[in-house]
Structure formats: structure tokens, C-alpha cells
Amino acid sequence: MTSIDNLLHEDRRFPPGPEFAAAAIAQPRLYEEAASDRLAFWADQSRRLLHWNEPFTEVLDWSAAPVAKWFGDGKLNVAYNCLDRHVLAGHGDRVAYHWEGEPGDARTVTYAELTSEVKKAANALAALGVGQGDRVAIYLPNIPEAVVAMLAVARLGAIHSVVFGGFSAESLRARIDDAQARLVITADGGWRKGKVFPLKPTVDAAVAGESPVEHVLVVRRGENEVEWTDKDLWWHDVVDAASNEHEAEAFEAENPLFILYTSGTTGKPKGILHTSGGYLTQVAFTHENVFDLHPETDVFWCTADVGWITGHSYAVYGPLANGATSVMYEGTPDTPHPGRWWELIEKYKVSIFYTAPTAIRSFMKLGGAIPAKFDLTSLRVLGSVGEPINPEAWVWYRDIIGGGKTPIVDTWWQTETGAIMVSALPGITTLKPGSAQVPVPGISIAIVDDDGTPVGKDEGGLLVITEPWPAMLRGIWGDMDRYAETYWSKFADQGYYFAGDGARYDRDGDIWLMGRVDDVMNVSGHRLSTAEIESALVGHAAVAEAAVVGAHDETTGQAVVAFVILRSEYAELEDASTELRAHVATAIGAIARPRELYVVAELPKTRSGKIMRRLLQDIAEGRDIGDTTTLADTSVMSIISDKYAASP
Ligand code: WT7
């Protein structure tokens, strides 16, 4: 509701400053070129941005839709594009990463050093039997070795599957098994909230017993004690000893680059598959144009962990393909003090900063006095991603962090799209707080009604992508039927990709995102599935039935709220809420732990037995529950809402 109200009343406009526009990378002709010949546009961008060992002649092959081939007859090496060519062009001394650990230890990694490390790691992985097409799971803190590992895998034409370090052993095992990974790269532990957070025991549990994993490569970071198994090898033993000479082989443009798991509407996460040439083209193009990247002078900081798609595309592949200098930070934003991020911006003179609305809102709560203690004048472009940014947070971000002068780009995209799809371009677009605004040049977006008919200005509907795009997913690992069904069946007649988001055009035709229309929640910009959490809950011996909803939360956007019915034998279970919330964290990961969990006697169901999540969401958000006439038993609702009202 709030976003619709904002949409109707938001009339602040921020046109580009003339000085910014004069030096801007993105030029209005990009829109014209893309509109006149979309495929030629992407071909030009790809040739300009990447090194092709074998040039492509065909741009798009959509004959096997919905699986696209982009630049299909070309060959390239992704790691070479991110590393060697910058060194060969004389930029070896340029900093690739200013890395900072949570305790304050720091490392500066130049392009020459990163290239050398990746070559060593590639040799070490090859010696362990990793080759083209093999899957390697990466479960690491946000440290340079995570980047080295990803690029070494890419260099060999193998496929990485990075699993965010907050996921549980069970989640890690499911991902390892689904991809049949033969190697895991992890660390003893990493720093989080002032402590070492152990990772190795989680990997031990995830690969114990029957597992496709042959070796576990362990980076020393936390220096915590670890148990050793016969699968284990220290990273510093095998990588440091390897040769730093390694020639990158060229692979086909469609050679798979990575799998990244994301939550869907069922209990089983989807392994989103991305490939090489098209992905790298679009991440490089958007990183350059959406953020106005001047690689010689800018310092770019994307705060996402490499375990998420934002980290893949804008902390690793985009910046490295463009030869940019990035900041990478291991820890939490408020450790050891709440100004840590601003301190890092001052220290490294960050000029482009990309983060999520949930972070901005939590800083807003702490107040402007904290960032005011730091010199943030190096900032010239700010970005937002992960969920809609409310206009109040947008304006605070611009005024307090951006000194009232920086453009803000609100970028809409998904794990599946691989790269930014909807965003303003700084220097061109007149900005409007709260709106993601316009498709990126070369990207075709529409908002349509349930039948696929485009809606007009001032109307809402579903966001669809009407033409294939270079960084699009190429499938769901091991389940191409689910791929076709999830994304392409709703608008099969039109051939549109269904994103799962509701959206509106305002009266100027700008796009506003309105949130998911499926059973996917967005908590702190991370995607969680109601079904996955429900299935974790019913996996507990005490739980007979569970229903999970995403309730509005002022800071995290949405929060997980669970309603459970206990089995009669467990009716007297003490502290059920604490126990079951902890159970979800163990089963999936701490990010999925419900904010609240209520034990109820019944769940509201339709006469056909479907749980009415909308009603539960109304209750969780404190709304009047309204019309319940389709409910099988209306007394259920009053019982639940009484219980909810009585809770702390
Ligand atoms: C979902 C994708 C790739 C970004 C990180 C999350 C929501 C993402 C925005 C935005 C409104 C947004 C959508 C989307 N979302 N960016 N700028 N405005 N909503 O990636 O986990 O794959 O989630 O995040 O609902 O479908 P993800």
C-alpha cells in the first residue's frame, strides 16, 4: 500500500547536473542504437568490451527457445578477460581490490597479483582433476580467495557454485549433491560480528558419508581449530606451491560459467545456470554505464557478499572485466562500530557505492550523525538493489551519504537475469525517488495484465521481459522442465519471460516495482521461499503443519512470520517458538530464521484445503482480516488473531 501511495504523490525530480552529464560514460545514443537494431547493439558492445579469441559471427540463436545462445560461434576465456588482458595492456599495477578484513587487517591486490594467484590456483585445481564442465562448490567468507577461486574455476572452463557462508550444512549438502560437485573450496572460518565464524565444520557435515566430493580445499583465514579428514588439503599448501604460469584456453561462448541457487515457489532451490560470453557482455556493459565507471579514477564498492548474484556480477565479473578498482569487505557493517562502512569509504576514497535498501534503512534509523563523522565527499554515484527503495530512504541516501549531489540508480534485476535490466543511467535520466524507471538500452521490458496484454500509463500488472537478453539464465541445473514451466509457461503464447514481480507504470511511463506476486519473500534483499521454510518446519518432529508468510518489516522489507500446529504429543513443548526458529536456522541458514513464530490450533484453509496465506499475512501485518467467507471455518481466524494480538 505504501508504495502505491508514494507512487501517486512522488513528484520530486533530480535532473542530471550539467557537469556530470558532460563527463558521463553513458550517452543518449545508446538508446537509439539499441532501439534501431538490438542485436547489432549487443554485438558491438560485446566486441568493444571483451576479448574474443575467436570472433563470433552469429549474435543470437533463439531456435531452441527458451534456451538462448548468444555469440554462439565465438570463443573466449572469462578469466583472461578479467585479468591477463589488463596486465598485458599495461595495467598490472592497478589495484583490483582494496580488501579489508573485519578485524581491520587489509590487503591490496593488484591486477598483476590477482592474475598470478589465479594462474596458480588454476594449476592447483587442474592437478586435483578439475577440468571443463566439472562443478566446484565454493563456501568462503568475503575474502580475496573467493574471487581467486571463482576465476580459477572459470579459467579452466569448469563451473562454480558459490554457496553463501550463512547457509547450513543441510543447504550446502543439497547444493553440492544437486550439482554433483567434486571439489569444495572453503576456509577454516571467517570474521563476523567480532568473532570467528567457523565454516569448516559445516563443510565436514555436508560432505560426510556418501558425497560426490573428492577433495576439500581449505583456506586459512579464521585460524580457528579445525578437524582434518583425508579429503582435506590446505589451500596454502597446494596453491602456493603451484606454478604461476598458466595459459588460458578459449572456450565456447555458451560454456557454462556458474550455477547459483535461489529460492523459488517450491521447497527445492533452483540452480540457476549462467554461461560465459553473453553474461560477461551484459555485466560489463551495465557496470560501465549504470555506474558511470571511469576505470582509471573510480573506486567502486558493491557491498554484496560474493555468495549472492549481486556479488558475482558487480563485486567480481563486471568490475574485473572493466579493469576497475573495487573495495571488498569481509564483515558486518556495524563491527566494531556503526560507522564502519563510512570509515571504509573515507579510507579508500570510494566514488561509486552500491548497496541494498535494507542497509540504508538501518543506517537511517541510527541517524545522520554517524556518517557525518566521515569524509564521504569522494562519492559521486550511488546504487540500490534487491528490493524497492522507498522515496524517504532514497532521499536520505542522496542527502546524507551522497552530500545532496550524487545521482542514485535503483537497479532492478534477478539471479535469473544475471545483470541489471531496469535502471536510470546517470547523466542521462532525470531521477525519480522510488522508481527503477527505465529498461537498460538493449533490454525489452513490458508490464502486462494476466492475459499478457500490455497495460498503459498509470496502470499496474506483471513485469515481463519480451526479448531474450545476453545475461539471461540458460536453465535450471538438472531440471529444464522446471525452467520452462517457471518462467515461460505463463505467457507461452507471447513468448515472454515471467519475472514474478508486480509492477506499475506511472503517468510518465516510468516503471515502479511492487514486490513479488508469488510465494517468494524478500528479506533484506535476499530471496526466501515460503515453501522451503514450511518444509523445514514440518521436518521437525513436533510440527504437524506450518504456514509461512512474508510480513512487512520497516528495516528488512519483509520478515518471515510462521504459524505452526504442533503434533498432539508435543502440545506441551516448552519454548516451542525458540526451538522451532532455531530449527529453521539449522536447516536452511540464519537468514531464514522466522522473526516470529506462533503456535496455533488451526490454520485458515479454503474449502478445497489450500492454506490462505493472504489472511495470515493480514494478521502478521496487523490488518483487519476482512472478508473470510471462502474460509472453511471462520472461527479459526478469530482464534489466530486473538492469539496474535496477545503475543508480545
Ligand atoms: C528479486 C530478485 C539481483 C538483485 C539482488 C536480488 C527484487 C531486486 C529490485 C529493485 C524492486 C527488486 C525483485 C526480484 N528486486 N532488485 N531495484 N526494486 N525489487 O536478487 O535474490 O534473485 O531477487 O528481488 O522482487 O524479482 P534475487
Side-chain angles (χ1 to χ4, degrees):
M1 273 325 271
T2 35
S3 13
I4 295 176
D5 291 345
N6 290 332
L7 171 69
L8 298 177
H9 300 299
E10 182 55 57
D11 50 16
R12 285 168 284 194
R13 298 289 180 274
F14 300 86
E19 266 176 59
F20 192 105
I25 295 283
Q27 296 298 317
R29 63 170 169 74
L30 290 176
Y31 290 108
E32 290 149 34
E33 286 171 16
S36 81
D37 189 340
R38 195 173 62 88
L39 297 184
F41 168 80
W42 282 119
D44 288 348
Q45 294 304 330
S46 189
R47 291 189 191 104
R48 180 177 69 80
L49 291 160
L50 304 184
H51 173 84
W52 289 88
N53 297 60
E54 273 182 39
F56 55 87
T57 60
E58 188 176 33
V59 184
L60 169 67
D61 176 359
W62 191 230
S63 60
V67 181
K69 280 190 184 159
W70 279 87
F71 317 119
D73 59 347
K75 285 189 172 180
L76 81 171
N77 184 289
V78 170
Y80 178 90
N81 271 280
C82 291
L83 301 166
D84 313 46
R85 69 171 168 140
H86 302 311
V87 178
L88 293 170
H91 305 313
D93 291 338
R94 188 182 293 169
V95 174
Y97 291 99
H98 292 291
W99 176 81
E100 181 121 345
E102 196 188 75
D105 51 334
R107 279 157 71 184
T108 303
V109 187
T110 65
Y111 273 90
E113 288 162 349
L114 190 62
T115 305
S116 168
E117 276 306 299
V118 169
K119 288 179 175 179
K120 284 184 180 181
N123 281 322
L125 297 187
L128 292 172
V130 175
Q132 184 178 7
D134 286 336
R135 277 80 59 202
V136 175
I138 299 177
Y139 187 73
L140 281 169
N142 217 34
I143 56 176
E145 283 78 4
V147 180
V148 174
M150 290 164 78
L151 291 170
V153 170
R155 193 173 184 92
L156 296 171
I159 307 171
H160 58 69
S161 164
V162 183
V163 180
F164 173 63
F167 278 113
S168 67
E170 236 174 273
S171 296
L172 177 59
R173 180 188 285 274
R175 286 156 173 75
I176 287 172
D177 289 354
D178 185 72
Q180 291 288 295
R182 58 192 301 186
L183 181 81
V184 181
I185 306 178
T186 189
D188 46 3
W191 284 85
R192 254 191 78 77
K193 299 191 178 162
K195 291 196 290 270
V196 172
F197 178 82
L199 291 170
K200 174 72 167 52
T202 310
V203 176
D204 292 344
V207 307
E210 202 164 313
S211 170
V213 172
E214 296 156 27
H215 301 287
V216 176
L217 205 48
V218 187
V219 176
R220 183 138 68 201
R221 164 64 189 149
E223 309 208 351
N224 45 316
E225 289 269 339
V226 290
E227 282 184 27
W228 213 242
T229 76
D230 52 11
K231 288 184 178 179
D232 299 339
L233 297 162
W234 281 113
W235 169 278
H236 56 256
D237 284 342
V238 295
V239 175
D240 290 3
S243 154
N244 67 356
E245 279 175 42
H246 183 274
E247 202 174 326
E249 187 187 332
F251 297 100
E252 288 180 358
E254 287 299 334
N255 194 55
L257 178 62
F258 65 85
I259 304 167
L260 190 59
Y261 287 83
T262 189
S263 299
T265 51
T266 72
K268 189 173 184 273
K270 302 175 281 195
I272 303 301
L273 177 68
H274 283 287
T275 61
S276 305
Y279 171 79
L280 203 61
T281 298
Q282 196 181 330
V283 295
F285 174 76
T286 50
H287 179 252
E288 177 193 50
N289 288 280
V290 170
F291 297 110
D292 191 46
L293 178 82
H294 293 68
E296 257 106 77
T297 49
D298 275 316
V299 178
F300 177 81
W301 185 17
C302 163
T303 63
D305 187 280
V306 293
W308 307 107
I309 190 67
T310 310
H312 280 56
S313 300
Y314 299 104
V316 181
Y317 289 111
L320 293 179
N322 288 331
T325 296
S326 293
V327 167
M328 184 177 188
Y329 172 57
E330 177 186 35
T332 38
D334 52 358
T335 307
H337 60 80
R340 191 65 200 278
W341 275 11
W342 319 126
E343 179 183 61
L344 291 174
I345 290 176
E346 175 182 284
K347 176 171 175 187
Y348 295 110
K349 300 195 166 42
V350 172
S351 55
I352 310 171
F353 183 64
Y354 190 31
T355 195
T358 182
I360 299 161
R361 287 192 297 264
S362 52
F363 290 126
M364 248 174 107
K365 264 203 211 153
L366 298 174
I370 296 167
K373 287 190 224 141
F374 299 91
D375 179 4
L376 305 180
T377 53
S378 54
L379 290 171
R380 50 175 214 91
V381 179
L382 301 177
S384 173
V385 63
E387 52 173 319
I389 176 164
N390 46 313
E392 293 62 38
W394 195 104
V395 169
W396 188 89
Y397 193 24
R398 178 177 160 107
D399 284 348
I400 305 301
I401 306 307
K405 65 175 179 23
T406 51
I408 295 181
V409 286
D410 173 10
T411 62
W412 177 88
W413 56 296
Q414 311 177 295
T415 305
E416 291 87 342
T417 70
I420 295 169
M421 301 295 278
V422 179
S423 173
L425 292 186
I428 300 182
T429 318
T430 289
L431 304 169
K432 190 183 285 183
S435 168
Q437 300 202 288
V438 286
V440 164
I443 297 302
S444 309
I445 300 276
I447 302 174
V448 299
D449 66 17
D450 234 23
D451 304 323
T453 310
V455 304
K457 287 182 180 172
D458 238 344
E459 287 180 346
L462 302 170
L463 190 86
V464 295
I465 306 168
T466 61
E467 300 286 349
W469 64 103
M472 69 192 294
L473 74 167
R474 301 302 199 265
I476 294 176
W477 185 261
D479 199 346
M480 293 308 272
D481 291 344
R482 188 175 179 196
Y483 169 60
E485 166 63 28
T486 308
Y487 304 105
W488 300 95
S489 66
K490 186 159 176 71
F491 298 112
D493 292 348
Q494 298 85 351
Y496 294 164
Y497 168 92
F498 171 57
D501 278 297
R504 280 184 80 85
Y505 291 119
D506 64 15
R507 48 181 110 80
D508 307 322
D510 276 329
I511 297 170
W512 293 69
L513 274 305
M514 313 302 292
R516 300 289 306 191
V517 295
D518 50 13
D519 289 329
V520 168
M521 294 169 285
N522 189 324
V523 178
S524 299
H526 298 312
R527 228 204 277 190
L528 294 171
S529 133
T530 53
E532 197 180 349
I533 300 176
E534 286 166 4
S535 103
L537 283 167
V538 295
H540 189 286
V543 177
E545 267 192 86
V548 164
V549 297
H552 176 75
D553 182 285
E554 239 181 67
T555 308
T556 59
Q558 284 189 308
V560 181
V561 177
F563 297 86
V564 302
I565 303 175
L566 295 181
R567 290 182 189 285
S568 51
E569 319 83 279
Y570 288 89
E572 301 306 312
L573 180 69
E574 244 179 80
D575 226 354
S577 168
T578 314
E579 154 106 24
L580 295 175
R581 288 169 60 242
H583 171 77
V584 172
T586 316
I588 301 173
I591 44 166
R593 186 200 311 268
R595 183 186 69 186
E596 287 146 38
L597 183 142
Y598 296 100
V599 175
V600 294
E602 295 211 50
L603 290 168
K605 290 190 184 150
T606 59
R607 290 182 188 103
S608 62
K610 204 169 150 27
I611 293 175
M612 297 174 84
R613 286 207 186 68
R614 280 280 144 205
L615 288 180
L616 292 173
Q617 187 166 8
D618 285 346
I619 292 181
E621 293 179 347
R623 265 194 304 279
D624 187 355
I625 54 173
D627 184 18
T628 53
T629 45
T630 52
L631 203 59
D633 171 10
T634 38
S635 67
V636 173
M637 287 314 289
S638 51
I639 296 168
I640 295 182
S641 46
D642 288 351
K643 176 138 194 153
Y644 195 90
S647 67

